[in-house]
């Protein structure tokens, strides 16, 4: 059993120190240590996207990142995207009635937010290509694309 380490990182704009085993995935640090439960566990292998968060502004699968490599990094979770769900993507997700089961939605929104941060007016094809790393088992892809297009117009 490895020794516990204390890692300092910024989560949703707040500097935090977390004590965990070095190989603990960021996903579990967020959910269990810091109680940011909006980030979901899907596959644990970086193949579904349910655990997508932003690390230093880039979308990543938090299930694949060990806490030992994250000292000094900045993490944004779905809770940090907007404190009152006023982000254009969050509003467009509701307007387009995207969620069915809702399980993948925080990862989908975080991925989409990274897309719009880098491309304020993506084409449908660009949206589909960028979002293909995130799986929706309910198949609400058409509504996901529509919500991203709506948010792009409203930002």
């Amino acid at each position: 059993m490895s020794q516990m380490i204390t890692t300092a990182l910024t989560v949703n704009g707040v500097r935090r120190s977390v004590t965990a085993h070095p190989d603990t995935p960021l996903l579990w640090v967020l959910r269990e240590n810091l109680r940011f439960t909006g980030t979901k566990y899907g596959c644990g292998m970086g193949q579904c996207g349910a655990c997508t968060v932003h690390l230093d502004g880039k979308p990543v699968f938090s299930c694949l990142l060990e806490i030992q490599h994250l000292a000094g990094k900045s993490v944004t979770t779905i809770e940090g995207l907007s404190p009152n769900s006023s982000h254009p993507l969050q509003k467009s997700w509701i307007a387009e009635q995207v969620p069915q089961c809702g399980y993948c939605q925080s990862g989908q929104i975080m991925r989409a937010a990274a897309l719009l941060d880098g491309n304020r007016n993506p084409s449908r094809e660009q949206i589909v290509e960028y979002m293909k790393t995130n799986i929706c088992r309910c198949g609400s892809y058409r509504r996901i694309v529509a919500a991203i297009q709506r948010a792009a117009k409203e930002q």
Side-chain angles (χ1 to χ4, degrees):
M1 185 73 104
S2 59
Q3 295 290 326
M4 302 279 270
I5 62 167
T6 299
T7 303
L9 67 160
T10 301
V11 180
N12 298 333
V14 177
R15 191 85 171 144
R16 301 176 185 273
S17 290
V18 176
T19 302
H21 290 282
D23 60 350
T24 303
L26 174 60
L27 170 64
W28 298 119
V29 168
L30 292 171
R31 290 184 60 78
E32 301 296 327
N33 297 67
L34 300 176
R35 300 291 182 218
F36 290 111
T37 57
T39 303
K40 303 300 184 200
Y41 172 79
C43 68
M45 300 183 306
Q47 295 183 0
C48 75
C51 69
T52 302
V53 298
H54 294 177
L55 180 67
D56 292 338
K58 304 290 182 205
V60 295
F61 300 139
S62 62
C63 71
L64 298 179
L65 301 174
E66 295 176 349
I67 193 66
Q68 66 185 326
H69 303 297
L70 302 178
K73 300 290 186 180
S74 178
V75 176
T76 304
T77 69
I78 189 72
E79 293 93 344
L81 195 60
S82 136
N84 60 0
S85 299
S86 64
H87 189 280
L89 280 166
Q90 291 168 314
K91 293 192 305 190
S92 69
W93 237 249
I94 293 166
E96 294 293 335
Q97 300 179 354
V98 175
Q100 286 186 42
C101 83
Y103 200 80
C104 71
Q105 299 309 306
S106 61
Q108 297 277 0
I109 290 171
M110 293 306 290
R111 180 85 183 162
L115 169 63
L116 294 181
D117 283 347
N119 182 350
R120 300 199 46 89
N121 189 26
S123 67
R124 182 185 187 292
E125 293 74 24
Q126 289 171 320
I127 293 169
V128 170
E129 178 66 22
Y130 195 83
M131 296 298 294
K132 72 181 182 183
T133 60
N134 289 57
I135 296 170
C136 174
R137 292 180 187 216
C138 299
S140 62
Y141 298 110
R142 186 179 48 74
R143 287 180 286 180
I144 289 169
V145 171
I148 294 169
Q149 289 172 323
R150 177 187 287 249
K153 291 176 189 163
E154 295 177 1
Q155 53 180 346

